[in-house]
Amino acid sequence: FTCQMPGQADALSGSRFLALDNLRDPGNLGTILRSAEAFGLDGVVLLGDCVDLWAPKTLRSAMGSAFRVPVYRLADAAQLKAQLAELGVLMYAAALYSDSRSVVDTDLRRACVVIGNEAHGVSDATLEACDGSLIIPIHTAESLNAAVAEQLNAFREEVDALIAKGEAKERALFTVIKRCLKECRDIRFDGNGY
């Protein structure tokens, strides 16, 4: 059978995005797309030399989300920053600096979080374009896998969006956790682990 590959949109639309700065692992990209769909993000932006969206491993790990999540490919962070500014959306880098704010204490209802390359993090040029940097509080590990970091940021964005619609914080947390558990239960695995 064949399927039509969706076209990529030119201009961002929405208020909650994730940007990937030179991400290289196709499995990470697919996992990130699946999480972006599960948490209702408005799109994923591929910056610079990101892995191929249509690579077989990306598509397998995306479990269909590559066809449902808006994906934008931009040359650099300057283009992204310009489009986000038109939408009134702030851009944060997931990066460990002394002045980084905790993702737990940051309102992500109108935000784009940039996740960096697995080996090198967010590039200097992209960091300069960002409005600030965020950290995910962790205990003793040096860092998180790029896909895991995205999932936690997307979870926070979804909770903030529900709170903005008037739900109490505890109810918003419960709603998002319940939806995540349902997503996990609905995934069917074959002999190849997909």
Short mmCIF file of all heavy atoms in Angstrom, two decimals, residues 5-6 30 33-34 37 53-54 58-59 62-71:
data_model
loop_
_atom_site.label_atom_id
_atom_site.label_comp_id
_atom_site.label_asym_id
_atom_site.label_seq_id
_atom_site.Cartn_x
_atom_site.Cartn_y
_atom_site.Cartn_z
N MET A 5 2.59 11.53 1.84
CA MET A 5 3.32 12.22 2.89
C MET A 5 2.76 13.62 3.03
O MET A 5 2.57 14.32 2.03
CB MET A 5 4.82 12.26 2.57
CG MET A 5 5.42 10.88 2.62
SD MET A 5 7.16 10.70 2.18
CE MET A 5 7.90 12.24 2.29
N PRO A 6 2.46 14.04 4.25
CA PRO A 6 1.91 15.38 4.43
C PRO A 6 2.94 16.45 4.10
O PRO A 6 4.14 16.25 4.30
CB PRO A 6 1.54 15.41 5.92
CG PRO A 6 2.38 14.37 6.56
CD PRO A 6 2.63 13.33 5.50
N GLY A 30 11.37 10.12 16.46
CA GLY A 30 10.07 9.45 16.43
C GLY A 30 9.38 9.46 17.79
O GLY A 30 8.18 9.71 17.89
N LEU A 33 8.04 12.94 18.45
CA LEU A 33 6.80 13.22 17.70
C LEU A 33 5.60 12.56 18.37
O LEU A 33 4.52 13.15 18.47
CB LEU A 33 6.94 12.74 16.26
CG LEU A 33 7.91 13.52 15.38
CD1 LEU A 33 8.12 12.82 14.06
CD2 LEU A 33 7.41 14.94 15.17
N ARG A 34 5.78 11.33 18.82
CA ARG A 34 4.68 10.62 19.49
C ARG A 34 4.28 11.33 20.77
O ARG A 34 3.10 11.51 21.06
CB ARG A 34 5.10 9.17 19.77
CG ARG A 34 3.95 8.30 20.17
CD ARG A 34 4.32 6.84 20.15
NE ARG A 34 5.28 6.53 21.18
CZ ARG A 34 6.11 5.49 21.15
NH1 ARG A 34 6.09 4.66 20.14
NH2 ARG A 34 6.94 5.27 22.12
N GLU A 37 2.39 14.61 20.05
CA GLU A 37 0.98 14.35 19.76
C GLU A 37 0.20 14.04 21.03
O GLU A 37 -0.89 14.56 21.26
CB GLU A 37 0.83 13.21 18.76
CG GLU A 37 -0.63 12.93 18.45
CD GLU A 37 -0.85 11.78 17.48
OE1 GLU A 37 0.04 10.91 17.33
OE2 GLU A 37 -1.93 11.75 16.88
N LEU A 53 13.15 13.23 8.83
CA LEU A 53 11.81 12.96 9.36
C LEU A 53 11.24 11.65 8.82
O LEU A 53 10.49 10.97 9.51
CB LEU A 53 10.88 14.13 9.01
CG LEU A 53 9.41 13.99 9.34
CD1 LEU A 53 9.21 13.87 10.86
CD2 LEU A 53 8.63 15.18 8.80
N TRP A 54 11.61 11.27 7.60
CA TRP A 54 11.03 10.09 6.96
C TRP A 54 11.94 8.87 7.02
O TRP A 54 11.69 7.88 6.33
CB TRP A 54 10.65 10.43 5.52
CG TRP A 54 9.78 11.64 5.46
CD1 TRP A 54 10.09 12.84 4.91
CD2 TRP A 54 8.47 11.79 6.02
NE1 TRP A 54 9.05 13.73 5.08
CE2 TRP A 54 8.04 13.11 5.77
CE3 TRP A 54 7.62 10.94 6.73
CZ2 TRP A 54 6.81 13.59 6.18
CZ3 TRP A 54 6.39 11.43 7.14
CH2 TRP A 54 6.00 12.74 6.86
N THR A 58 12.68 6.50 12.38
CA THR A 58 11.85 7.61 12.88
C THR A 58 10.38 7.24 12.77
O THR A 58 9.62 7.40 13.72
CB THR A 58 12.12 8.90 12.08
OG1 THR A 58 13.50 9.25 12.18
CG2 THR A 58 11.27 10.05 12.57
N LEU A 59 9.99 6.75 11.61
CA LEU A 59 8.59 6.41 11.38
C LEU A 59 8.12 5.28 12.29
O LEU A 59 7.00 5.32 12.81
CB LEU A 59 8.37 6.06 9.91
CG LEU A 59 8.58 7.21 8.93
CD1 LEU A 59 8.45 6.72 7.50
CD2 LEU A 59 7.63 8.36 9.21
N ALA A 62 7.72 6.67 15.78
CA ALA A 62 6.66 7.69 15.86
C ALA A 62 5.27 7.06 15.93
O ALA A 62 4.32 7.72 16.34
CB ALA A 62 6.73 8.63 14.66
N MET A 63 5.14 5.81 15.52
CA MET A 63 3.85 5.10 15.60
C MET A 63 2.71 5.89 14.94
O MET A 63 1.62 5.99 15.48
CB MET A 63 3.49 4.77 17.05
CG MET A 63 4.52 4.02 17.83
SD MET A 63 4.40 2.24 17.82
CE MET A 63 2.75 1.92 18.25
N GLY A 64 2.97 6.51 13.81
CA GLY A 64 1.94 7.25 13.08
C GLY A 64 1.91 8.74 13.36
O GLY A 64 1.29 9.50 12.61
N SER A 65 2.55 9.18 14.43
CA SER A 65 2.49 10.60 14.78
C SER A 65 3.17 11.50 13.75
O SER A 65 2.84 12.67 13.65
CB SER A 65 3.12 10.83 16.17
OG SER A 65 2.36 10.19 17.16
N ALA A 66 4.12 10.97 12.99
CA ALA A 66 4.78 11.77 11.96
C ALA A 66 3.79 12.27 10.92
O ALA A 66 4.04 13.27 10.25
CB ALA A 66 5.88 10.95 11.28
N PHE A 67 2.65 11.60 10.80
CA PHE A 67 1.63 12.00 9.83
C PHE A 67 0.55 12.89 10.45
O PHE A 67 -0.30 13.40 9.73
CB PHE A 67 0.97 10.75 9.23
CG PHE A 67 1.95 9.87 8.52
CD1 PHE A 67 2.45 8.73 9.12
CD2 PHE A 67 2.40 10.19 7.24
CE1 PHE A 67 3.36 7.92 8.48
CE2 PHE A 67 3.31 9.40 6.58
CZ PHE A 67 3.80 8.26 7.20
N ARG A 68 0.59 13.07 11.77
CA ARG A 68 -0.47 13.84 12.44
C ARG A 68 0.04 15.10 13.14
O ARG A 68 -0.74 16.00 13.40
CB ARG A 68 -1.19 12.95 13.44
CG ARG A 68 -1.95 11.80 12.80
CD ARG A 68 -2.73 10.99 13.82
NE ARG A 68 -1.89 10.30 14.78
CZ ARG A 68 -1.44 9.05 14.63
NH1 ARG A 68 -1.75 8.37 13.54
NH2 ARG A 68 -0.69 8.50 15.56
N VAL A 69 1.31 15.16 13.47
CA VAL A 69 1.87 16.32 14.17
C VAL A 69 2.45 17.29 13.14
O VAL A 69 3.24 16.87 12.29
CB VAL A 69 2.98 15.88 15.15
CG1 VAL A 69 3.68 17.09 15.76
CG2 VAL A 69 2.41 15.00 16.24
N PRO A 70 2.08 18.57 13.21
CA PRO A 70 2.70 19.53 12.29
C PRO A 70 4.21 19.61 12.55
O PRO A 70 4.65 19.79 13.69
CB PRO A 70 2.03 20.86 12.65
CG PRO A 70 0.74 20.47 13.30
CD PRO A 70 1.04 19.19 14.03
N VAL A 71 4.99 19.43 11.50
CA VAL A 71 6.45 19.50 11.60
C VAL A 71 6.92 20.61 10.68
O VAL A 71 6.52 20.69 9.51
CB VAL A 71 7.11 18.16 11.21
CG1 VAL A 71 8.62 18.27 11.24
CG2 VAL A 71 6.64 17.04 12.14
#
